[in-house]
Amino acid sequence: EAAVTQSPRNKVTVTGGNVTLSCRQTNSHNYMYWYRQDTGHGLRLIHYSYGAGNLQIGDVPDGYKATRTTQEDFFLLLELASPSQTSLYFCASSAGTGVSNERLFFGHGTKLSVL
Amino acid sequence: AQKVTQTQTSISVMEKTTVTMDCVYETQDSSYFLFWYKQTASGEIVFLIRQDSYKKENATVGHYSLNFQKPKSSIGLIITATQIEDSAVYFCAMREGQGGRALIFGTGTTVSVSP
């Protein structure tokens, strides 16, 4: 089973703070994604990547930066955190689109609170 | 732009019965892929089942099956012989056919299975 590891599991910061969420997958997947989950909104796509050095903008990118340093590692950066960014963040990976076994493998999530 | 809508916020059923949940989608692409994911009480999100738009047969995996009604842009999930452990949040998702697009999710339907 594909493994996606997120860290930290919980994070509390203050408004204006600088936060980095980390995600590592060890399945040689090309695609990695960052979603946020909020009540009433489901899972919303922030950023995603096809591979190291690549970044694609998702549906709710404002206030977020992301960087894919290697095939395994994908980071989400909040440089000036705001209370509206309090959420549950999920990282996911997949082998690619259009493959017969296409599916997302999710990490366990990072709960972020911005006070 | 693509969009996925789940109007049922919650459904309660008795164990061993059948539950059906709805999902409608919007897309301009002639080729697209539809998915259902399950989020357990622990927060874990797992892939359940997939339907490719060009396939006429409804997908079935274990006690999960799909009701794909292409003219209505609808992809319902049916769970037969429900068990307590089917209590979860179920997300519908879509990816448009152009390579490299990411999954867009609905807001989810919470299913509660009672003994």
Side-chain angles (χ1 to χ4, degrees), chain A residues 62-80:
Chain A
D62 292 347
Y64 301 96
K65 292 184 179 179
T67 179
R68 181 88 177 269
T69 55
T70 64
Q71 185 179 36
E72 294 78 19
D73 298 302
F74 195 28
F75 300 93
L76 186 67
L77 295 77
L78 292 72
E79 294 185 332
L80 286 172

Side-chain angles (χ1 to χ4, degrees), chain A residues 4 6 23 29-35 45-50 68 74 76 89-97 102-107, chain B residues 95 100-103 105:
Chain A
V4 179
Q6 292 182 236
C23 178
H29 286 169
N30 291 321
Y31 290 72
M32 295 186 74
Y33 310 83
W34 279 107
Y35 288 90
L45 180 66
I46 305 172
H47 290 299
Y48 61 109
S49 169
Y50 301 154
R68 181 88 177 269
F74 195 28
L76 186 67
Y89 291 86
F90 283 98
C91 177
S93 73
S94 71
T97 60
E102 175 185 348
R103 65 188 62 182
L104 296 186
F105 293 88
F106 283 86
Chain B
R95 182 179 66 76
R101 301 278 181 88
L103 246 61
F105 286 82

Side-chain angles (χ1 to χ4, degrees), chain B:
Chain B
Q2 57 179 338
K3 185 178 180 180
V4 176
T5 302
Q6 296 178 255
T7 57
Q8 300 160 297
T9 54
S10 64
I11 302 173
S12 296
V13 297
M14 301 298 293
E15 192 178 13
K16 301 179 184 178
T17 63
T18 295
V19 61
T20 300
M21 59 200 89
D22 303 325
C23 175
V24 293
Y25 55 89
E26 298 176 24
T27 179
Q28 301 299 318
D29 278 11
S30 58
S31 173
Y32 49 90
F33 304 87
L34 302 162
F35 303 81
W36 281 90
Y37 284 79
K38 172 184 178 181
Q39 184 175 34
T40 64
S42 68
E44 182 183 17
I45 303 174
V46 296
F47 165 80
L48 290 180
I49 192 169
R50 159 183 169 173
Q51 179 79 39
D52 298 347
S53 63
Y54 60 86
K55 293 185 177 179
K56 295 184 178 180
E57 302 80 18
N58 290 320
T60 297
V61 175
H63 73 147
Y64 302 106
S65 61
L66 297 178
N67 179 17
F68 181 40
Q69 300 184 60
K70 196 169 183 178
K72 296 183 178 181
S73 296
S74 172
I75 183 73
L77 174 67
I78 303 165
I79 308 175
T80 57
T82 53
Q83 304 163 16
I84 300 297
E85 50 267 34
D86 291 322
S87 296
V89 180
Y90 292 84
F91 291 101
C92 177
M94 177 177 68
R95 182 179 66 76
E96 292 179 324
Q98 297 298 320
R101 301 278 181 88
L103 246 61
I104 301 300
F105 286 82
T107 53
T109 297
T110 300
V111 172
S112 300
V113 181
S114 302

Side-chain angles (χ1 to χ4, degrees), chain A residues 40-57:
Chain A
H41 292 279
L43 291 160
R44 293 183 290 176
L45 180 66
I46 305 172
H47 290 299
Y48 61 109
S49 169
Y50 301 154
N54 176 268
L55 181 65
Q56 302 295 315
I57 296 173

Side-chain angles (χ1 to χ4, degrees), chain A residues 7-30:
Chain A
S7 61
R9 295 294 298 272
N10 292 280
K11 176 71 177 180
V12 179
T13 190
V14 296
T15 299
N18 195 320
V19 177
T20 298
L21 306 185
S22 302
C23 178
R24 166 166 283 198
Q25 56 92 8
T26 56
N27 304 289
S28 301
H29 286 169
N30 291 321

